[in-house]
Amino acid sequence: MNHNAEISPIEVLFRSQVRKDPNVRNAYLLVHSDKTGLHVNLAEGAGENGKPTPQQPNYMASVGKLFTSTIVSMLHEKGLLSFEDGISRYLDSGLMDGLHVYKGKDYSSDIQIRHLLNQTSGLPDNFYPLFDKLLADHSFDIGPREAVEWAKRNLTPQAVPGKKAYYTDTNYHLLGLIVEKVCGEPFHVVLKKLIFEPVGMKHAYMLHCSEPEEASPQPVAGFYIGQTRLNDLKGFAGIDYAGGGVVAPLEDLLLFMKALVGHQLVSKETLAIMKSDKARLMPVFDYGYGIWQLRTIPLLVPAKYKSWGVLGATGAYMFYHPELNAYVIGSFNHVAWQRKCVQFMFRVMGKLRE
């Protein structure tokens, strides 16, 4: 594959998509393949205070869930917890009491760590109701434990644990609290020790919780809903937490994905479990341990797009295509691109095959 021949169509596609949408102020795309020698790192948009640059850190929304599931998997390998453990082993009775009451029956003690990881706990999603509160009142602030307690009081579970997938940040809030219990440190400290430092993600940090090892020479990219810039809302730290929160330049995110794919963080066997213990989340996606896996469907989703990775509500994506040995990472930094980014990613993969 010719390096220069491939850069042009990918760059043209990316820039044209961004320029068509006036709501997107700063979008980013990194495409890398060791197999072909291709490496493209792009930024586009009107910008905020100057044109965006590829080196800017991006808030990656639920892309952070893959970091959380990787940490839990590392703790599993160390024997500090097991995927099959009941979560009551790590969470206090105050939090567990009445956590999951479905159709009059309490299933709280039936929830296993694996149910949180693959979104099959049946617990309700606390993110969007709390996000609405934050949008209505920018001073709104809540901690992750309080966010779970709020869901317990105000929302209704969706299913019996282990029966079906229901995507919820509540699951990943609980995983963050379990990590803190096992490690005896705040989640952002564990994230830095187990992933950022070993992988070399020097400019990565957790939104409103930590600072990078080295300050980025470029300002963090803004992320938006409508015309509202969300970066500076402190309440995001509590409602995102271990369900997101990772901020990093795309080159740092590539380091993480290469380390995960290359079994530098977890073994080949554990990564296989992270992918194989999955549930159908959407018609074209299965969900493993923080991992979205494309389900190929004849005519609708051809096998040439078969890949796995993770998506975020801001139009963020971080995927690996095994056949092409290629990584596609980026963000449109706008909630309007939450679903559209998937189609864009497929088009990039199509360009890689040309």
Side-chain angles (χ1 to χ4, degrees):
M1 185 180 294
N2 183 276
H3 179 81
N4 291 326
E6 289 304 319
I7 290 179
S8 179
I10 291 173
E11 182 167 350
V12 169
L13 171 65
F14 172 65
R15 296 197 189 283
S16 65
Q17 286 291 298
V18 177
R19 290 168 183 171
K20 287 177 184 177
D21 190 341
N23 289 317
V24 178
R25 303 191 186 194
N26 43 14
Y28 304 81
L29 171 66
L30 184 151
V31 182
H32 176 89
S33 174
D34 288 324
K35 182 177 181 179
T36 65
L38 176 67
H39 187 85
V40 179
N41 193 5
L42 304 168
E44 181 58 61
E48 296 173 292
N49 293 302
K51 292 288 287 184
T53 67
Q55 293 74 36
Q56 286 181 265
N58 279 257
Y59 162 78
M60 295 300 288
S62 285
V63 166
K65 286 183 172 65
L66 185 52
F67 289 80
T68 300
S69 66
T70 299
I71 289 171
V72 173
S73 299
M74 294 169 77
L75 298 178
H76 169 83
E77 287 194 337
K78 294 174 184 291
L80 297 176
L81 55 75
S82 171
F83 295 141
E84 290 76 29
D85 284 344
I87 64 172
S88 59
R89 181 172 178 177
Y90 305 96
L91 302 173
D92 63 75
S93 59
L95 193 60
M96 288 298 302
D97 184 33
L99 178 64
H100 189 309
V101 178
Y102 180 68
K103 294 185 177 180
K105 183 176 179 180
D106 194 330
Y107 291 96
S108 305
S109 62
D110 295 339
I111 303 174
Q112 299 176 0
I113 288 176
R114 58 179 290 269
H115 295 146
L116 303 180
L117 288 163
N118 67 11
Q119 301 283 15
T120 60
S121 73
L123 289 170
D125 183 24
N126 61 6
F127 179 81
Y128 282 103
L130 294 175
F131 182 45
D132 288 342
K133 288 180 176 291
L134 182 61
L135 289 177
D137 177 5
H138 290 183
S139 67
F140 177 75
D141 196 10
I142 191 170
R145 180 189 174 99
E146 289 72 29
V148 174
E149 294 277 11
W150 184 90
K152 187 167 64 172
R153 293 191 306 270
N154 294 281
L155 304 175
T156 303
Q158 299 295 305
V160 173
K163 294 300 182 181
K164 72 173 186 178
Y166 182 75
Y167 190 91
T168 162
D169 275 34
T170 310
N171 289 330
Y172 276 73
H173 288 164
L174 290 168
L175 286 170
L177 295 173
I178 289 171
V179 167
E180 292 187 346
K181 176 68 174 180
V182 170
C183 297
E185 295 181 299
F187 181 80
H188 68 268
V189 174
V190 178
L191 178 63
K192 182 177 181 180
K193 285 184 177 181
L194 292 190
I195 295 183
F196 291 169
E197 289 181 346
V199 169
M201 298 177 67
K202 294 183 179 181
H203 299 301
Y205 62 98
M206 194 168 169
L207 185 69
H208 300 310
C209 291
S210 64
E211 298 293 332
E213 180 181 336
E214 293 182 9
S216 172
Q218 303 293 332
V220 63
F223 63 100
Y224 291 81
I225 181 169
Q227 298 300 311
T228 303
R229 190 178 193 271
L230 301 172
N231 301 59
D232 300 326
L233 302 185
K234 303 296 185 183
F236 242 102
I239 66 173
D240 212 13
Y241 182 54
V246 171
V247 181
L250 301 191
E251 295 282 3
D252 276 17
L253 296 169
L254 176 62
L255 291 175
F256 166 74
M257 280 298 281
K258 292 183 76 171
L260 182 61
V261 170
H263 311 124
Q264 297 170 27
L265 294 170
V266 297
S267 67
K268 181 179 180 180
E269 293 74 21
T270 297
L271 182 58
I273 295 171
M274 292 173 69
K275 292 191 287 183
S276 63
D277 189 9
K278 61 190 177 182
R280 182 171 299 185
L281 187 61
M282 294 181 179
V284 299
F285 279 111
D286 292 329
Y287 196 89
Y289 293 0
I291 297 175
W292 296 71
Q293 298 170 79
L294 191 70
R295 296 180 61 251
T296 58
I297 302 173
L299 300 180
L300 181 61
V301 185
K304 66 181 182 180
Y305 298 129
K306 193 169 181 62
S307 54
W308 61 268
V310 62
L311 298 167
T314 54
Y317 49 93
M318 184 171 71
F319 268 67
Y320 174 66
H321 191 297
E323 181 189 350
L324 299 173
N325 191 18
Y327 303 84
V328 182
I329 305 170
S331 180
F332 288 90
N333 282 305
H334 200 288
V335 174
W337 279 81
Q338 180 175 4
R339 294 183 181 273
K340 291 190 290 184
C341 73
V342 176
Q343 289 298 326
F344 170 77
M345 188 171 60
F346 289 167
R347 294 181 68 186
V348 171
M349 291 176 183
K351 296 292 184 185
L352 283 167
R353 302 184 69 92
E354 292 177 356

